[in-house]
Amino acid sequence: MRFRRAFMVLAACLAPPAVVAAQDARQVDIAYEITFGGISGFRIDVTARFNGSKYDVETTTYKEGMLKAVTMNYVGRNRAWGGFTTQGAQPTAGSLSISVDGKPRTWLAQYGAAGFLQEIHTPVWKPTPQQTISDADRKDSLDPLTAALSVGFAGDAACDKTVRSNDGKRRIDVLFRKVGMEPASATGIPGARGDVLVCEIYTKRVSGEFDEAPKEAETERERPIRIWLARFDDTQIRYPGKLEAQTLFATIRGKVLSFRERPLTPEEAANIRR
């Protein structure tokens, strides 16, 4: 379960700043690898498109190597889109599509001026009373990718905050705590610029449907995930550069495989969601 939590945090880590500058029409492509005890486990591909005051970000997460060969197949896709105002990043919607061993689940969250607006589950989710996410817990919560983007968009203020994450079935608080700053040259992150922000991440279950027993979840929260947030371009956005999480059996590590950016074509720029 900690493996899943670690890659969700990495896929997830992409409260907004007071002002986010308008972006040139460009696309950023990032590839990540997550290993368990040195064995390749997950690959995460990120495509982020920016055009003026609009953003549209997609991630795809899938198993590879030995983990794919010996465990159930998994493919996860997330998408988040919205815009920037003088008040910061303003999400329009976020979606996720998860297929585990050929069994798909999709969820769409749409936002309004007051925050969380409505959601659509496919198939329909029918929680028990103990699994229900209350309106109070849903308030101000964000789909996983939008929650992650709120961290990256915060730049140097990414840590020392709590993000209210909601994947439709589980409401989790993700707590970021700043550890310090390290020179990019000392982190081993290829392409990182300037200083790298180091954070510890704890998770706290709030409500919903969970597989783990409460005692196990509490133990995992005592062993934080450590993440290095780096700059790779000329913007204030900080992207995950690497990740480490300790388990009873081995260390989970995440790292950047590649970072590329290019201008958008006129057609791509026109098709960014808002």
Side-chain angles (χ1 to χ4, degrees), residues 58-98:
E58 298 179 79
T59 67
T60 302
T61 304
Y62 52 93
K63 292 180 180 179
E64 59 181 7
M66 182 62 70
L67 190 70
K68 181 178 180 180
V70 301
T71 63
M72 291 187 300
N73 189 38
Y74 174 95
V75 178
R77 294 183 173 86
N78 292 59
R79 188 169 187 175
W81 60 97
F84 302 116
T85 71
T86 56
Q87 302 302 311
Q90 300 295 320
T92 297
S95 65
L96 62 82
S97 174
I98 298 173

Side-chain angles (χ1 to χ4, degrees), residues 56 177 180 224 264:
D56 186 352
R177 298 292 180 263
L264 291 180

Side-chain angles (χ1 to χ4, degrees), residues 2 5 200-203 216-226 244-250:
R2 189 163 178 80
R5 186 164 303 175
E200 287 186 339
I201 304 173
Y202 299 80
T203 58
E216 178 185 351
E218 292 290 343
T219 301
E220 290 197 352
R221 287 202 295 273
E222 293 171 0
R223 293 178 284 149
I225 296 169
R226 181 165 289 198
E244 289 186 1
Q246 301 294 326
T247 74
L248 294 175
F249 306 103

Side-chain angles (χ1 to χ4, degrees), residues 1-9 42 170 211-212:
M1 295 304 171
R2 189 163 178 80
F3 200 121
R4 182 178 67 183
R5 186 164 303 175
F7 85 75
M8 287 178 66
V9 166
F42 282 91
R170 287 164 287 273
D211 296 329
E212 307 99 325

Side-chain angles (χ1 to χ4, degrees), residues 2 23 30 33 38 64 73 75 83 96 109-110 129 141 143-144 148 173 213 218 220-221 229 238 249 260 263-264 274:
R2 189 163 178 80
Q23 300 277 337
I30 317 172
E33 177 189 57
E64 59 181 7
N73 189 38
V75 178
L96 62 82
Q110 297 174 302
S141 65
D143 65 274
D173 282 345
E218 292 290 343
E220 290 197 352
R221 287 202 295 273
L229 299 171
R238 285 190 176 271
F249 306 103
R260 300 183 180 91
L264 291 180
R274 176 64 188 268

Side-chain angles (χ1 to χ4, degrees), residues 17-254:
V19 179
V20 177
Q23 300 277 337
D24 294 334
R26 65 191 183 101
Q27 176 170 309
V28 173
D29 294 298
I30 317 172
Y32 294 97
E33 177 189 57
I34 296 184
T35 60
F36 182 78
I39 299 174
S40 180
F42 282 91
R43 169 76 176 255
I44 302 170
D45 295 325
V46 182
T47 297
R49 291 177 173 175
F50 303 96
N51 185 16
S53 63
K54 297 185 290 184
Y55 68 85
D56 186 352
V57 182
E58 298 179 79
T59 67
T60 302
T61 304
Y62 52 93
K63 292 180 180 179
E64 59 181 7
M66 182 62 70
L67 190 70
K68 181 178 180 180
V70 301
T71 63
M72 291 187 300
N73 189 38
Y74 174 95
V75 178
R77 294 183 173 86
N78 292 59
R79 188 169 187 175
W81 60 97
F84 302 116
T85 71
T86 56
Q87 302 302 311
Q90 300 295 320
T92 297
S95 65
L96 62 82
S97 174
I98 298 173
S99 177
V100 180
D101 205 22
K103 298 178 181 179
R105 174 174 83 90
T106 64
W107 180 67
L108 171 67
Q110 297 174 302
Y111 305 97
F116 200 101
L117 183 61
Q118 61 180 352
E119 56 185 326
I120 301 172
H121 291 265
T122 307
V124 175
W125 184 45
K126 299 179 180 179
T128 66
Q130 292 76 20
Q131 296 171 338
T132 300
I133 301 174
S134 68
D135 289 342
D137 287 342
R138 290 172 71 247
K139 185 178 185 298
D140 297 326
S141 65
L142 300 169
D143 65 274
L145 184 52
T146 298
L149 289 169
S150 76
V151 176
F153 289 158
D156 291 345
C159 294
D160 296 320
K161 65 170 76 269
T162 298
V163 180
R164 297 165 62 90
S165 178
N166 185 346
D167 74 353
K169 288 188 174 182
R170 287 164 287 273
R171 250 288 286 121
I172 296 173
D173 282 345
V174 185
L175 296 79
F176 290 80
R177 298 292 180 263
K178 182 177 179 178
V179 174
M181 304 287 287
E182 294 182 4
S185 59
T187 64
I189 301 172
R193 303 181 181 183
D195 289 332
V196 175
L197 180 61
V198 187
C199 307
E200 287 186 339
I201 304 173
Y202 299 80
T203 58
K204 178 183 178 182
R205 62 166 62 182
V206 176
S207 58
E209 179 183 298
F210 293 93
D211 296 329
E212 307 99 325
K215 184 176 180 180
E216 178 185 351
E218 292 290 343
T219 301
E220 290 197 352
R221 287 202 295 273
E222 293 171 0
R223 293 178 284 149
I225 296 169
R226 181 165 289 198
I227 192 165
W228 286 254
L229 299 171
R231 287 197 175 92
F232 294 96
D233 54 28
D234 294 327
T235 70
Q236 67 178 345
I237 299 173
R238 285 190 176 271
Y239 301 88
K242 66 177 183 179
L243 172 147
E244 289 186 1
Q246 301 294 326
T247 74
L248 294 175
F249 306 103
T251 301
I252 299 169
R253 288 188 170 89

